[in-house]
Amino acid sequence: MNATLPADLVADLRPSRRPARVLSAGAAAWFAVGLLHLGVLAFDGWAWSDAVSFRKPLVFSVSIALLLATIGWVLDRLPDRPRLAGTIAWTLLVSSTVEVGLITLQAWRGRASHFNTLEAGDAAIFVAMAIMVGVMSLCLVAVLVWSLVAPPRDRVVRLAVIGGLALIMSGLGIGQWIVELGNDFVETRGVVPETVVSGERGVAKFPHAVALHGIQLFVLAAVLLRRGTLAEADRRRALRRIVWSYTAVLVFASGQTVTGSAPLDPTIWSAGLAVSLVAIVVGFVRIGRALGAPDREQSPSMTPA
């Protein structure tokens, strides 16, 4: 394997234009907040499952950091339109910061952040969070539409971006379903749920998380494929397999949840989930092997459009 590979990968992931740098700075800040809350969670005895837990600022901080950095990477590979990209970047950064900031605030107040509508102050915070999620969703829809109208020139990048954003759209839909489940729980039982479930044991956030974070896997595969020795058609085929295998993961995770089974319960859905995960691992193993093979073809440019 080429000794310069790590430096090359960092160069491929480094933000180039100002909107991407703005989002990357926000991602770095939220990742630092997540690390801080990892320590707080440890000090708190790893209280992970309660409705009021420092796991929430930890998980949401890291999740939003990944999302911001990834959208920045995507904006760098779309046509250079500074005003549009800047508007999307700043709107996404501010709305996500307010949302995760409110989640963090509630954790430090010792109050549940989600579905806590039993008192006026908590309800107002939950409504504000919902508004910010709506604004974030509009930003993500805008990026998807832009990617469809003026897609990245590199066909492998195009597949990674559009495939990942399409999964994010499904994740937003699942998020709305989670909101409905959570609100119904509060209305019928008068308490805030520790975890929103479908049926007896289906963890609703399981497919939600799967849908939101497939794009990072696709971007990683696209970046690695650029440095590999596969022919262009083989690169597209390799990424296509990973995208479809990950889509199958989402389908099986959703089936597992909707039928009321926990993520690790043995069902036909979990069997399909396992097979799909193996297919993804095999895909990355093949990409890894191509990284160390003799060079057969010059990699296409992956620099910003």
Side-chain angles (χ1 to χ4, degrees):
M1 189 175 295
N2 194 322
T4 65
L5 178 62
D8 291 340
L9 295 181
V10 170
D12 283 338
L13 294 171
R14 183 182 297 121
S16 174
R17 302 172 189 154
R18 180 174 177 79
R21 292 197 299 270
V22 166
L23 289 176
S24 293
W30 278 116
F31 187 73
V33 172
L35 288 178
L36 171 65
H37 283 94
L38 178 62
V40 174
L41 187 64
F43 183 79
D44 198 40
W46 299 106
W48 187 267
S49 60
D50 295 338
V52 181
S53 168
F54 283 106
R55 87 173 188 280
K56 287 193 173 182
L58 166 61
V59 171
F60 277 88
S61 295
V62 173
S63 178
I64 209 64
L66 290 172
L67 179 65
L68 293 176
T70 304
I71 296 302
W73 188 89
V74 171
L75 292 178
D76 259 351
R77 279 144 189 87
L78 296 176
D80 190 9
R81 297 184 62 181
R83 288 188 179 180
L84 176 58
T87 300
I88 291 173
W90 279 106
T91 305
L92 181 60
L93 177 60
V94 171
S95 57
S96 62
T97 296
V98 172
E99 191 230 352
V100 183
L102 291 174
I103 292 171
T104 304
L105 172 66
Q106 289 293 75
W108 282 98
R109 291 180 65 224
R111 309 288 294 178
S113 56
H114 290 78
F115 311 109
N116 190 357
T117 56
L118 302 177
E119 294 186 10
D122 294 323
I125 289 176
F126 183 53
V127 169
M129 288 165 49
I131 292 172
M132 293 300 102
V133 171
V135 174
M136 292 167 58
S137 300
L138 290 176
C139 292
L140 296 171
V141 170
V143 176
L144 175 59
V145 172
W146 189 2
S147 300
L148 291 170
V149 173
R153 292 177 300 187
D154 186 291
R155 296 177 68 180
V156 173
V157 174
R158 186 185 311 168
L159 175 59
V161 168
I162 295 177
L165 290 172
L167 286 185
I168 287 177
M169 295 302 110
S170 67
L172 296 178
I174 294 172
Q176 181 58 43
W177 173 60
I178 293 174
V179 170
E180 294 173 2
L181 289 175
N183 287 336
D184 288 345
F185 185 95
V186 174
E187 289 177 5
T188 56
R189 304 194 185 188
V191 295
V192 177
E194 291 186 5
T195 299
V196 177
V197 295
S198 172
E200 293 185 3
R201 291 164 50 84
V203 180
K205 61 188 176 184
F206 175 38
H208 181 59
V210 170
L212 292 181
H213 292 296
I215 190 169
Q216 283 89 32
L217 205 64
F218 303 162
V219 167
L220 175 61
V223 170
L224 290 173
L225 284 166
R226 184 201 174 196
R227 298 298 172 182
T229 59
L230 296 175
E232 176 63 18
D234 292 332
R235 291 188 181 99
R236 294 198 302 271
R237 189 177 300 112
L239 184 56
R240 195 178 299 120
R241 288 171 179 167
I242 289 176
V243 169
W244 282 114
S245 296
Y246 195 92
T247 302
V249 169
L250 176 58
V251 171
F252 290 122
S254 300
Q256 183 86 341
T257 302
V258 170
T259 55
S261 299
L264 297 181
D265 286 349
T267 65
I268 186 64
W269 300 104
S270 62
L273 182 63
V275 171
S276 301
L277 289 172
V278 169
I280 293 173
V281 172
V282 170
F284 272 96
V285 168
R286 289 174 176 170
I287 293 173
R289 287 177 178 173
L291 291 173
D295 193 12
R296 293 190 341 223
E297 179 180 308
Q298 182 64 34
S299 300
S301 173
M302 201 180 203
T303 55

